Amino acid sequence: MKKLILKYWSINFLFSLTLFVIYRLLIAGKDYEDGDWLDFILNMMDILLNLGFSLIFLVVLPICSLTFFLNLIKKVTRHYYLSLLSFVAGAVVVATYVLIAFVDLYASESTIFMTSLILSIVYLIFNYFQFRLFRKKVALMDEVFVGTT
């Protein structure tokens, strides 16, 4: 069981790093207009804000994926909803946070969080599919265990 959880965690960790690289590539391609000093300050604030949100994919998502290790507890592994929470709870919190920030800024005609929101939702969907595969493996392991006793 430990190897299985470590395998899923390492895949998730690599996927979150991949999302970080994709996000950085997408924000690096953004072109800023030349203008007066106010435009320069606003562009710098936009760059800092984008770098801050890229830290979500570099730091927060790998930390949230540590909840996978809660499945080492038998009670969590046997209970479907607790196991589901251990896989998707962190992703739901991050996606909700980005969604709230997006809705807040969307009211002021700004869409700088759209990329972050899309990647957060992709991460959430990836975690759900990873959970489904994990549950199939656990069910298969339980059948093998019951069959040998």
Side-chain angles (χ1 to χ4, degrees):
M1 181 63 86
K2 291 178 185 179
K3 288 182 182 180
L4 181 67
I5 293 173
L6 186 62
K7 174 186 156 189
Y8 280 99
W9 178 80
S10 60
I11 290 170
N12 192 283
F13 181 78
L14 291 174
F15 187 73
S16 63
L17 289 180
T18 304
L19 287 177
F20 167 73
V21 170
I22 290 171
Y23 187 75
R24 290 298 306 262
L25 289 174
L26 290 174
I27 65 173
K30 191 173 181 182
D31 191 26
Y32 293 101
E33 298 177 13
D34 292 333
D36 58 356
W37 64 273
L38 183 61
D39 287 335
F40 175 75
I41 291 175
L42 290 175
N43 289 340
M44 291 304 289
M45 288 176 53
D46 185 46
I47 290 169
L48 290 174
L49 188 63
N50 279 324
L51 288 175
F53 266 87
S54 71
L55 286 177
I56 287 176
F57 297 107
L58 181 63
V59 177
V60 176
L61 292 182
I63 289 174
C64 289
S65 69
L66 290 175
T67 59
F68 286 16
F69 292 107
L70 289 173
N71 282 296
L72 290 174
I73 303 169
K74 294 262 188 221
K75 185 176 181 180
V76 174
T77 305
R78 288 183 185 146
H79 197 273
Y80 180 84
Y81 294 110
L82 290 177
S83 185
L84 176 66
L85 276 177
S86 72
F87 270 82
V88 298
V92 166
V93 168
V94 169
T96 304
Y97 174 73
V98 173
L99 180 65
I100 289 170
F102 174 73
V103 168
D104 186 36
L105 286 178
Y106 186 74
S108 64
E109 304 290 329
S110 178
T111 60
I112 62 173
F113 291 117
M114 181 59 92
T115 304
S116 182
L117 179 63
I118 290 170
L119 291 178
S120 297
I121 292 172
V122 166
Y123 181 73
L124 178 63
I125 292 169
F126 175 77
N127 275 357
Y128 176 72
F129 284 120
Q130 201 174 21
F131 166 73
R132 297 292 298 180
L133 290 173
F134 175 76
R135 291 305 294 182
K136 285 182 183 178
K137 292 265 185 170
V138 167
L140 189 64
M141 287 172 56
D142 286 344
E143 287 177 11
V144 169
F145 180 72
V146 170
T148 59
T149 58

